[in-house]
Amino acid sequence: GHLMVLKGFDSRGRVLVNDPAAPDERTVERVYDRGEFARAWLRNKYGTAYIIAPLELIPLTARAPLAELFSRPLPPGKKSKALHIESQLLPLERINIGEARGAWLKISAVEQPRWEQRRDKGFKPYSGWIESRAASFHLLLEPDAVVRVKKASLKDGPFSELSMGTRVRTLWRGKGSSVRVLLPGGETALIAAKDLNFLPIKMGQGKLRKKILTTARQFLGDKYYWGGRSGYGTDCSGLVNLVYRVWGLDLPRNASDQCVYGRTPAGRLKPADLIFSTSRKDLTRINHVMLYAGGEKLIEATQDSG
C-alpha cells in the first residue's frame, strides 16, 4: 500500500498531500483533484488511514458488544472482576483516555456523569479502567438512533448484535425494514428499523412515561448483574440509566447521583418516577433506586431476589 501524508485542502477543495513517490524532494508537496484522489483512496484502499496524535487526543469508544469499566486494572482471576466492576460502556459511547498501563487504559466515561460531592465540582465523567482490546476508534459522528430492544440482531457486518441503549449513526434508511448503521472502527451493518428509536424523540410526557416502563419490563425475570448497564444484565441504577437512555434522556450512572440530579415531585408520584432508598445503618447514603410503575407496583433490579 502506498503511503502519503494528507495535509489539508485548498480553496477549490483539492487535496494537499506530501507524496513520497515524487521524483525529487522539491516536488513532494502535491495537489490532487479531489474526485480522482477519492476514487484511488476509497475504492482501492477502502479509506484506510493512520491518525497520529497524542494518546489522550485519540477519540475512542467501546468495541461491540461492550466494554466493562473497572475501578483498577485487574489482576488475573475471575473473582477480581466481580470485586472491581463499576459500569459498562456501549459501542459509540464517547470516552476520553487518561493514561495507558500495559493492556489497560484509564478512561473517562463522558456519557456517565458522576457527582463530585466531596470536591464540590458538580457532575464529572465517571472514570475507571478498561482493557485496551475492548476499545475501538470513534469516528465522531453524532448518533441519530438508539437501540430500543434488549439485543438487536445485525446482518451484513462483523458483529451479530447490539445491546439496548447503543446509540448509532444511520447511513442509509430505505423503504424496507432494514437500516444500515455505522459501527465502531468504521464497519457497517444492517439492523431492523423496528429495533431503533430515531433521535430526537418528540413525545408527550404521559406517553413517554409509559414507554419507559414498557422498556423496563423487558428485563422482568432477568438475573441481577452488579455493574451491569446493558441488555446483557443490569444493576438497579444501570436499569434506570438504560431505559431512560432508550428514550433520549440522559441520567447519571449511580443511584446516589440520580437522586442528586432529580427533583422531589410536587404532587403524587407519576409512572416512571424514581424512588430511592437507604440502608437503616446509614440514612444519608442512597444505595438503591426503583421505577414507580403505578398503583402499588415497582420495577427494580435487586440483589435480594436475584
Side-chain angles (χ1 to χ4, degrees):
H2 184 56
L3 202 62
M4 61 180 74
V5 178
L6 175 62
K7 301 175 69 175
F9 304 91
D10 68 9
S11 59
R12 294 167 54 185
R14 295 180 302 179
V15 183
L16 307 177
V17 300
N18 280 358
D19 190 341
D24 56 64
E25 198 170 308
R26 291 174 300 171
T27 57
V28 165
E29 187 175 73
R30 299 195 160 208
V31 181
Y32 289 129
D33 176 79
R34 190 186 186 106
E36 291 178 355
F37 185 87
R39 280 192 293 274
W41 179 42
L42 298 177
R43 183 183 300 172
N44 299 336
K45 303 300 177 187
Y46 306 102
T48 301
Y50 298 92
I51 297 180
I52 301 171
L55 181 64
E56 64 271 14
L57 297 181
I58 297 175
L60 290 185
T61 186
R63 187 182 302 278
L66 55 80
E68 293 197 308
L69 183 71
F70 298 95
S71 58
R72 50 169 289 187
L74 295 189
K78 291 185 178 180
K79 291 184 179 180
S80 59
K81 177 180 176 180
L83 291 172
H84 299 292
I85 187 169
E86 294 280 337
S87 187
Q88 292 175 330
L89 298 154
L90 298 169
L92 299 186
E93 191 172 340
R94 290 175 296 141
I95 58 179
N96 293 332
I97 303 177
E99 64 175 287
R101 188 184 299 175
W104 291 86
L105 299 173
K106 187 174 185 181
I107 63 97
S108 298
V110 178
E111 297 176 36
Q112 298 186 47
R114 192 173 192 179
W115 181 253
E116 296 284 353
Q117 188 175 9
R118 293 178 182 176
R119 301 176 186 176
D120 195 27
K121 292 185 177 181
F123 284 96
K124 298 293 181 182
Y126 211 123
S127 63
W129 295 82
I130 65 171
E131 290 185 89
S132 56
R133 65 181 180 180
S136 183
F137 182 71
H138 196 329
L139 293 176
L140 297 180
L141 294 174
E142 287 297 317
D144 56 7
V146 57
V147 176
R148 58 183 289 173
V149 297
K150 276 168 66 175
K151 299 168 190 174
S153 297
L154 297 178
K155 296 180 180 178
D156 191 29
F159 309 113
S160 60
E161 60 187 19
L162 289 178
S163 162
M164 175 188 286
T166 301
R167 289 174 175 164
V168 296
R169 175 73 177 211
T170 60
L171 300 177
W172 171 82
R173 186 180 179 186
K175 296 180 180 179
S177 59
S178 294
V179 179
R180 184 164 291 280
V181 296
L182 184 68
L183 301 175
E187 302 280 3
T188 70
L190 292 173
I191 188 172
K194 63 180 178 60
D195 291 342
L196 297 173
N197 279 339
F198 294 92
L199 302 171
I201 296 170
K202 297 180 180 179
M203 190 180 296
Q205 188 184 119
K207 186 176 180 181
L208 182 61
R209 289 175 177 273
K210 291 179 181 178
K211 293 288 188 182
I212 289 171
L213 290 177
T214 298
T215 303
R217 289 189 180 101
Q218 292 185 49
F219 291 89
L220 292 178
D222 283 11
K223 188 176 180 180
Y224 180 91
Y225 187 86
W226 177 264
R229 177 184 166 267
S230 69
Y232 301 97
T234 72
D235 57 18
C236 66
S237 55
L239 173 67
V240 168
N241 177 280
L242 197 60
V243 298
Y244 268 73
R245 180 181 173 90
V246 166
W247 295 98
L249 301 169
D250 290 318
L251 298 183
R253 169 61 178 89
N254 287 344
S256 57
D257 302 325
Q258 291 169 358
C259 188
V260 172
Y261 191 78
R263 64 176 185 268
T264 304
R268 285 185 173 184
L269 283 170
K270 296 179 181 179
D273 274 349
L274 305 182
I275 298 176
F276 300 93
S277 65
T278 68
S279 164
R280 288 182 182 272
K281 297 178 182 179
D282 184 0
L283 300 180
T284 64
R285 181 176 175 269
I286 297 293
N287 64 2
H288 189 54
V289 60
M290 302 160 275
L291 289 150
Y292 177 61
E296 297 181 358
K297 295 182 177 180
L298 300 168
I299 299 176
E300 60 175 337
T302 169
Q303 282 181 302
D304 296 335
S305 61

